[in-house]
Amino acid sequence: MSFEALSEKIIHLEKRLLDPKIRKSAEELDKLLADEFIEYCTSGHVCNKQEVLDSLPDNEEVEIIPSNFIVRSLAQDVVLLNFETFNTSSGVTLRRSSIWKIINGTWQLFFHQGTKAKS
């Protein structure tokens, strides 16, 4: 797979995670998140995959607009994705980093961190 095709795939997967329908689906999130998944949340809390699956939003339909994607290959089976998001309901911009890794032949999110951008 070319780097351009890989970049498009990783960006597509990340955008799926921002889709409100996917964010509410334990089944879909279970496929996208690695079992070893860790997230450093903007609150400072560190959560794992099970905590994410246990705390799915109910009917929240927040629009999160992603932009400024930068994909970097860290190894043959590991990719770093940096990007920004804008939350239309809170007006908050986050700078985000995601590490995607091939696990059992499938790209899964291994690590994520979101940090509030200075206004």
Side-chain angles (χ1 to χ4, degrees), residues 19-21 23-25 55-63 89:
D19 181 328
K21 292 177 189 133
R23 293 176 77 84
K24 291 185 222 178
S25 171
S55 63
L56 299 178
D58 294 329
N59 293 320
E60 191 175 326
E61 290 288 334
V62 175
E63 183 181 16
S89 64

Side-chain angles (χ1 to χ4, degrees), residues 46-58:
V46 178
C47 64
N48 62 31
K49 179 179 182 174
Q50 193 58 54
E51 288 175 293
V52 171
L53 296 177
D54 290 344
S55 63
L56 299 178
D58 294 329

Side-chain angles (χ1 to χ4, degrees), residues 11 66-71 81-85 93 95-96:
I11 291 168
S67 63
N68 301 324
F69 292 103
I70 300 170
V71 180
L81 176 64
N82 296 112
F83 63 107
E84 293 181 351
T85 56
T93 297
R95 293 200 172 97
R96 298 177 179 254

